[in-house]
Amino acid sequence: MKQRTWPGTSDGSRFTSLPFSKPYDKEKRSRFSIRATAKSSSSSSPLVSNEVSDGGGDFSMLPFDILMKIAAPLSLPNLQAASSVCKSWRDALQPLRESMVLLRWGKRFKHGRGGVRANLEKALDSFLKAAARGSTLAMVDAGLVYWEKGEKEKAVGLYRRAAELNDPVGQCNLGISYLQVQPSNPKEAMKWLKQSAENGYVRAQYQLALCLHQGRVVQANLPEATRWYLKAAEGGYVRAMYNISLCYSVGEGIPQNRKLARKWMKRAADHGHSKAQFEHGIALFSEGAMLKSVLYLELAERGGETAASHVKEVVQQRLSATSRAHGLS
């Protein structure tokens, strides 16, 4: 989807906004690592014995809702590690391990992978079965399918289930959903975006920064916006790299710093941001680095920046003139 500019092309603003069309997850999830190994039966630790600390049963006897809050957001490797601690853990976590198989099949049906044809209904069925077994990853994927089908209430319900189990992607998608549904719910949106951002999810950090920068759903707070832009940029979110560069360039919400502005603009350009490639190419041209300038302008042109084509031609003419002058000297 083509990026929109915010607040609009008429005012000359270069800050870009993530379209609020549908919540989705393109970023890699980060998960807490569980490094638990089974110890001998003589160990007194409640984590590796079959008894809980109060002596009233074992891990598998915990209420299912409590168990889900502990383990639902785990990725498959961490789930396998937790299952290996002892028999009670293995038995209690069996539904979540089953959910991972169903989740895998759901993704195959959704994208037509692994030798199966794409079938959205079968994908949704697999996601829902996995979600019923407690997988927050499946809740988010099922929510995405419902959102794409226009059944937004069902999508929001699944996002909320994942969010309440502390899944940062579910929290982010829930927050964005509350901005999109009618009527919108800015208070709930900001609550979940902030919670996801504080859990380290870079897309939520960027989206939270946009809300604070734009002042659409909450009062604008530029210093706080730039703080979240910077966190998201440091976490590898490319749009945040571009926006924090603009903030440093003009001193908006943060002290002006041309060196840091240039650093983040180049980093965004090197990560494929077409507007950053265009602006970095112009900066290189102004410094006389014409060959490098042509390279970035070419990339920007391929990325859809039509203005880069004219600038590239000017730079190439300068290069030709320089080459001719060297040839005659």
Side-chain angles (χ1 to χ4, degrees):
M1 184 180 293
K2 189 175 180 181
Q3 294 180 29
R4 298 189 311 205
T5 56
W6 169 83
T9 54
S10 60
D11 65 358
S13 173
R14 298 178 293 169
F15 288 90
T16 56
S17 172
L18 193 67
F20 285 133
S21 57
K22 66 174 183 177
Y24 65 109
D25 175 23
K26 285 189 177 181
E27 304 297 319
K28 291 184 178 179
R29 294 163 176 257
S30 61
R31 294 287 183 225
F32 292 106
S33 295
I34 291 185
R35 298 179 180 178
T37 56
K39 297 183 185 291
S40 65
S41 59
S42 61
S43 171
S44 61
S45 171
L47 291 178
V48 294
S49 69
N50 285 337
E51 295 184 356
V52 291
S53 58
D54 63 0
D58 61 25
F59 185 84
S60 60
M61 296 175 65
L62 285 173
F64 190 71
D65 58 336
I66 300 298
L67 177 62
M68 288 303 97
K69 288 186 177 180
I70 297 171
L74 297 182
S75 62
L76 180 57
N78 288 341
L79 189 60
Q80 290 171 331
S83 299
S84 70
V85 172
C86 63
K87 183 178 184 299
S88 64
W89 281 61
R90 185 181 71 241
D91 293 345
L93 294 172
Q94 182 177 345
L96 282 175
R97 293 198 303 276
E98 292 173 355
S99 76
M100 292 299 175
V101 177
L102 290 162
L103 178 66
R104 189 183 305 123
W105 276 103
K107 289 184 180 293
R108 287 177 179 176
F109 281 122
K110 184 176 182 180
H111 303 290
R113 297 172 183 165
V116 300
R117 291 185 178 181
N119 187 317
L120 198 59
E121 291 305 317
K122 287 185 177 181
L124 179 59
D125 182 62
S126 292
F127 290 146
L128 290 174
K129 287 178 179 177
R133 287 165 170 79
S135 171
T136 60
L137 286 73
M139 293 172 197
V140 170
D141 278 327
L144 292 172
V145 175
Y146 276 130
W147 190 273
E148 291 167 357
K149 293 175 62 167
E151 299 181 59
K152 296 186 177 181
E153 287 187 9
K154 292 182 179 179
V156 170
L158 284 159
Y159 293 148
R160 176 171 281 281
R161 284 176 60 193
E164 289 174 347
L165 288 167
N166 207 35
D167 185 288
V169 180
Q171 292 165 346
C172 178
N173 284 13
L174 181 62
I176 293 175
S177 297
Y178 278 129
L179 294 173
Q180 285 302 294
V181 295
Q182 294 298 327
S184 63
N185 190 332
K187 184 177 179 180
E188 282 291 291
M190 293 299 291
K191 166 190 166 182
W192 289 110
L193 284 174
K194 187 173 183 182
Q195 194 163 327
S196 178
E198 289 173 345
N199 280 337
Y201 188 48
V202 292
R203 183 167 179 258
Q205 292 170 347
Y206 172 74
Q207 197 65 63
L208 181 61
L210 280 177
C211 291
L212 292 165
H213 191 169
Q214 297 169 357
R216 287 183 178 179
V217 296
V218 292
Q219 185 175 357
N221 187 330
L222 294 181
E224 188 70 1
T226 54
R227 183 173 78 87
W228 286 112
Y229 277 143
L230 187 57
K231 279 185 176 293
E234 290 171 343
Y237 205 80
V238 181
R239 291 187 179 99
M241 295 176 191
Y242 178 73
N243 281 15
I244 195 62
S245 171
L246 298 182
C247 290
Y248 274 124
S249 177
V250 298
E252 187 169 5
I254 202 168
Q256 189 176 41
N257 188 318
R258 301 284 185 184
K259 184 177 179 180
L260 288 175
R262 181 68 180 275
K263 165 193 165 182
W264 285 112
M265 187 65 73
K266 182 180 186 303
R267 191 168 293 184
D270 290 341
H271 280 79
H273 194 289
S274 59
K275 283 183 169 57
Q277 290 166 343
F278 178 49
E279 297 200 27
H280 188 57
I282 291 176
L284 288 168
F285 173 55
S286 67
E287 295 171 356
M290 290 186 283
L291 284 173
K292 289 183 179 180
S293 174
V294 169
L295 172 63
Y296 280 97
L297 291 169
E298 173 70 23
L299 291 171
E301 183 181 3
R302 293 182 183 182
E305 297 298 318
T306 54
S309 177
H310 174 69
V311 179
K312 187 183 72 173
E313 289 177 5
V314 173
V315 177
Q316 288 174 329
Q317 289 173 0
R318 293 282 186 91
L319 277 170
S320 298
T322 303
S323 298
R324 287 196 300 270
H326 282 299
L328 293 173
S329 60

